[in-house]
Amino acid sequence: MSRVEVSNVTMEFGQTTALDDVSIAFEDGGFFALLGPSGSGKTTLLRTIAGFYFPKSGTIRIGDRNVESVPVEKRDIGMMFQNYALFPNMSVADNIGFGLRVRKVPAAEEKKRISEALDLVQLGALANRRPSQLSGGQRQRVALARAIVTNPKVLLLDEPLSALDKTLRVDMQIELKRIQREVGITTIFVTHDQEEALTLSDRIGILRNGRIVQAGPPREVYDRPVDEFTAGFLGEANWLSASLLEDLTLPAQVDGHRFGTRPEALRISADTPDAGQNAVRGQVRQRIFAGAMATCLIDVGGSQWKLIARDRDIPELPGDGQVWVSWSPEDTLVVRA
Amino acid sequence: MAEALLPTERRRLVSLLSPAYLWLLVAVFLPLSAMLFFSFLTGLPQDDPDWGVTLANYGKFFQNPTYPALLWKSLKLGLWVTGFCILIGYPCALVLAKSIKGRAREALFLMVILPFWSNSLVRIFSWAIVLRGNGVLERTLNFLLPFDVRLNLMFTREAVVIGLVHSYLPYVILTSYLALQAIDDDLIDAARSMGASKLTILRRLLLPLSLPGLLAGAVLVFVPVVGSFMEPRILGGRLGTYYGTVIEDQFVAVYNWPLGAALSFILLAVVLLILALTSPVLKRART
């Protein structure tokens, strides 16, 4: 269990720069999500921390050791792969014990730690099964047990839940979080699923084109994105065109910034909203009922906005579709132009 | 499975399978049955009007100690050749499957398959030119080394082994390559992340997972080598008398087909016995 620090790391594959002067710190015991579109360099960053790639320049520290030129097998990490990568020729217990045997842990101790790890992931009864006899969720748990049984300094997860179906994924998210808390291991995990990143982690790093765009706690990154890309990647956003800005209360200088809102921060009303609220006129194009929630597509000054609210909070709309769309000034998104 | 098929599906399966099985029936089963029949005869019907049925051809194998001794010699040859093919071929397949990517792999593959594309007689005679005293190999060595080298490899058991290894190496490389290729690279990465050295990964992961392919290759080499006659005859010379060459003599030189047939079936029985004895090992390797 250690702090991981990546400083000024640059990685190149032939002509393409996969990581461009990346610096980021992962606190001891934290659960950190690396999020970005495909090709953003998130998996490269994870595999560079793991030691599969060696950076062209920069340093990587795990605990108090510089490891940028140490190969993966000497870095003392635990890693979980997208397809689990369980060894098909070994039983569940042998899979979990592999790293212990490599480290020449005495047999009795090995047995004890395997059964502890199995208990931790609640798979005690399946120790003698082969990976081919397990369900997707069970394989996932074995892979997790195998990655942490050696008490590595850091746990690296490469899109660990993407192969599971939706319901199982939510269960495993809760499970993963519980186990990570219980073990207290520094965890870095790569995902392209923003909801998963927001749910699981206590810090998020957003990557784009091999650079870290923004890093911080999930709520902060969601509520205060630094640019349009981050705002759009972590959720949806409506952007205010320049002509609408005059009558609004804005938290920053107009110059050099763009302003927007999250769809769920908006309210819709037929009458003029209270003073102190930011409000613009709009024309409702479509109202989409989806059970508890509803989505409205509204034309605001020529651009299409999206509003998401509880269906019962959306009032009866006037016949001509002309409405007020309002939000609290503090909910305004401010990003670099 | 079969009961669950609809009649139309069954008809389709039969129509797809029957050409291959008809061909096997005509090309393998009929001639083999004829040979089995010959092996119990005192003489060929077309040459000997007084032909009869006998077990004497099989008896000869057990009465004359030369035959079992030659069979043993051929089995040993098979083990040597198979062993060298594995020692040379498996590492080659490993590198081709796991280390080399792209065009270089295609080029190297072509070189592996090349022996298949040349006529086997041409191949063997090329080896004769290389291996004989004052041949290409000796001259090259003498040119490179300051002292005199006399290898005289021609007409030795080593020459036979060299020629056979060259002919059969591609089988081991191809079957091992296919098995190794099918192993997900993530498995290797996972083992490395757990601290495993290259040797541990080979011993505990790659070798067990590719063993079925390696063994399939070994069988493909061992079986024909035990019955081989061309390489022993040309490269082995006077020392090149093996079980296969004796069978060939019965058919071509001595014209004793019944004995040749009987010796062939004894070889077939011994090879099947060996495969049956090793099949539990093969089966365990697969699970």
Side-chain angles (χ1 to χ4, degrees):
Chain A
M1 269 133 271
S2 306
R3 186 183 141 89
V4 177
E5 199 175 332
V6 174
S7 313
N8 309 103
V9 162
T10 296
M11 255 310 291
E12 282 170 7
F13 295 114
Q15 293 298 311
T16 51
T17 305
L19 295 175
D20 185 3
D21 195 29
V22 168
S23 296
I24 188 167
F26 306 92
E27 295 306 326
D28 191 356
F31 200 127
F32 207 107
L34 295 173
L35 188 62
S38 56
S40 61
K42 55 189 192 301
T43 299
T44 306
L45 178 55
L46 191 82
R47 292 179 75 87
T48 308
I49 295 170
F52 290 112
Y53 307 140
F54 301 114
K56 182 170 166 261
S57 61
T59 58
I60 298 169
R61 289 177 73 80
I62 297 178
D64 44 17
R65 190 160 76 119
N66 272 44
V67 294
E68 63 273 2
S69 52
V70 176
V72 54
E73 51 268 28
K74 303 232 165 69
R75 276 196 196 184
D76 198 11
I77 54 140
M79 186 150 174
M80 214 170 121
F81 292 79
Q82 192 168 357
N83 59 2
Y84 318 133
L86 298 180
F87 305 139
N89 56 326
M90 297 179 203
S91 68
V92 166
D94 285 344
N95 261 283
I96 297 174
F98 187 89
L100 298 173
R101 221 161 307 156
V102 166
R103 285 169 175 72
K104 304 213 160 53
V105 171
E109 158 116 18
E110 178 191 321
K111 220 174 148 195
K112 189 175 130 250
R113 279 167 72 176
I114 291 174
S115 78
E116 279 170 6
L118 279 168
D119 287 344
L120 184 68
V121 296
Q122 300 172 344
L123 280 183
L126 303 180
N128 296 318
R129 294 268 185 95
R130 292 277 169 150
S132 57
Q133 298 167 308
L134 302 179
S135 71
Q138 289 167 339
R139 285 179 203 188
Q140 164 97 49
R141 287 158 192 260
V142 175
L144 181 60
R146 190 178 69 170
I148 57 182
V149 73
T150 54
N151 293 327
K153 293 202 170 70
V154 53
L155 175 62
L156 306 172
L157 312 172
D158 186 4
E159 307 231 4
L161 305 173
S162 61
L164 300 176
D165 61 52
K166 177 112 185 151
T167 31
L168 200 53
R169 192 153 67 215
V170 174
D171 288 348
M172 277 311 296
Q173 285 175 358
I174 297 165
E175 189 73 0
L176 193 58
K177 186 87 188 161
R178 171 184 72 80
I179 290 166
Q180 194 266 341
R181 280 222 191 93
E182 219 163 285
V183 180
I185 187 172
T186 313
T187 302
I188 305 171
F189 102 106
V190 158
T191 181
H192 61 262
D193 181 336
Q194 49 274 43
E195 206 181 306
E196 193 170 281
L198 294 169
T199 316
L200 280 175
S201 52
D202 39 49
R203 280 180 86 81
I204 286 181
I206 309 270
L207 280 102
R208 186 193 191 191
N209 296 336
R211 287 172 165 276
I212 302 264
V213 183
Q214 188 174 5
R219 185 173 292 279
E220 184 188 307
V221 178
Y222 184 80
D223 287 342
R224 301 272 165 259
V226 294
D227 61 10
E228 229 172 294
F229 167 79
T230 312
F233 194 73
L234 270 189
E236 286 175 289
N238 305 306
W239 299 106
L240 285 151
S241 48
S243 60
L244 292 168
L245 297 176
E246 282 168 30
D247 303 329
L248 304 176
T249 313
L250 297 172
Q253 289 280 309
V254 172
D255 284 349
H257 292 108
R258 284 206 78 187
F259 301 94
T261 63
R262 292 286 184 200
E264 71 279 6
L266 298 175
R267 269 182 309 279
I268 198 166
S269 59
D271 310 323
T272 317
D274 302 340
Q277 295 278 303
N278 277 332
V280 291
R281 290 294 281 170
Q283 165 86 36
V284 175
R285 292 274 175 239
Q286 217 178 340
R287 176 176 176 169
I288 303 154
F289 173 69
M293 304 301 284
T295 302
C296 286
L297 301 178
I298 307 161
D299 185 74
V300 176
S303 58
Q304 180 166 281
W305 281 28
K306 194 179 211 179
L307 172 150
I308 297 171
R310 290 205 302 171
D311 189 65
R312 55 165 60 186
D313 291 345
I314 299 176
E316 198 70 33
L317 298 173
D320 60 356
Q322 288 288 329
V323 293
W324 283 99
V325 177
S326 61
W327 68 96
S328 305
E330 62 263 28
D331 286 340
T332 310
L333 301 176
V334 186
V335 302
R336 287 193 296 261
Chain B
M1 278 283 279
E3 310 86 79
L5 292 175
L6 292 171
T8 50
E9 282 181 73
R10 204 172 304 163
R11 262 201 300 282
R12 195 166 54 227
L13 285 187
V14 167
S15 67
L16 287 171
L17 287 173
S18 48
Y21 279 93
L22 274 174
W23 170 251
L24 287 175
L25 184 76
V26 173
V28 180
F29 188 69
L30 288 183
L32 219 57
S33 324
M35 274 299 157
L36 187 64
F37 175 61
F38 287 159
S39 72
F40 291 107
L41 300 184
T42 53
L44 288 181
Q46 62 264 40
D47 307 328
D48 182 2
D50 307 323
W51 63 276
V53 176
T54 175
L55 279 174
N57 296 315
Y58 288 92
K60 273 184 198 144
F61 177 85
F62 297 100
Q63 283 151 18
N64 187 342
T66 316
Y67 294 125
L70 282 177
L71 180 56
W72 177 236
K73 189 181 168 194
S74 280
L75 289 172
K76 274 194 299 189
L77 179 71
L79 286 177
W80 275 107
V81 172
T82 309
F84 276 116
C85 281
I86 290 173
L87 275 181
I88 300 168
Y90 191 78
C92 172
L94 192 63
V95 172
L96 278 176
K98 291 294 166 206
S99 303
I100 294 172
K101 307 263 184 269
R103 289 210 83 114
R105 183 192 278 181
E106 284 166 35
L108 285 166
F109 240 114
L110 198 68
M111 289 166 72
V112 168
I113 299 173
L114 223 51
F116 276 153
W117 290 353
S118 57
N119 178 284
S120 53
L121 262 181
V122 172
R123 212 158 55 211
I124 299 164
F125 277 111
S126 319
W127 273 114
I129 295 168
V130 171
L131 295 175
R132 73 184 149 91
N134 204 21
V136 175
L137 182 65
E138 269 191 30
R139 283 191 191 199
T140 311
L141 286 175
N142 280 325
F143 180 76
L144 292 173
L145 300 171
F147 48 88
D148 208 26
V149 185
R150 285 271 159 264
L151 289 173
N152 263 330
L153 275 173
M154 196 58 189
F155 305 132
T156 59
R157 195 180 65 174
E158 287 73 19
V160 177
V161 171
I162 289 172
L164 285 167
V165 167
H166 179 224
S167 296
Y168 289 100
L169 189 58
Y171 288 108
V172 170
I173 296 182
L174 289 176
T175 56
S176 303
Y177 171 82
L178 287 177
L180 286 163
Q181 174 77 349
I183 299 173
D184 190 348
D185 284 344
D186 275 353
L187 293 185
I188 299 168
D189 284 350
R192 289 184 67 196
S193 77
M194 282 175 259
S197 65
K198 294 220 157 62
L199 196 66
T200 309
I201 292 172
L202 177 64
R203 204 166 47 81
R204 304 230 8 231
L205 219 53
L206 294 178
L207 206 52
L209 287 173
S210 64
L211 200 57
L214 179 63
L215 290 176
V219 170
L220 283 178
V221 174
F222 179 76
V223 174
V225 163
V226 172
S228 65
F229 55 88
M230 210 151 60
E231 288 89 350
R233 195 176 292 289
I234 298 168
L235 297 173
R238 203 168 45 78
L239 288 168
T241 308
Y242 284 87
Y243 197 70
T245 60
V246 169
I247 294 175
E248 190 213 4
D249 281 339
Q250 302 310 315
F251 283 100
V252 180
V254 189
Y255 213 63
N256 187 350
W257 282 32
L259 180 59
L263 292 177
S264 298
F265 278 100
I266 290 169
L267 175 62
L268 183 63
V270 168
V271 165
L272 288 178
L273 187 70
I274 291 171
L275 293 185
L277 288 176
T278 50
S279 77
V281 184
L282 289 168
K283 223 170 267 164
R284 204 173 329 130
R286 212 164 299 146
T287 49

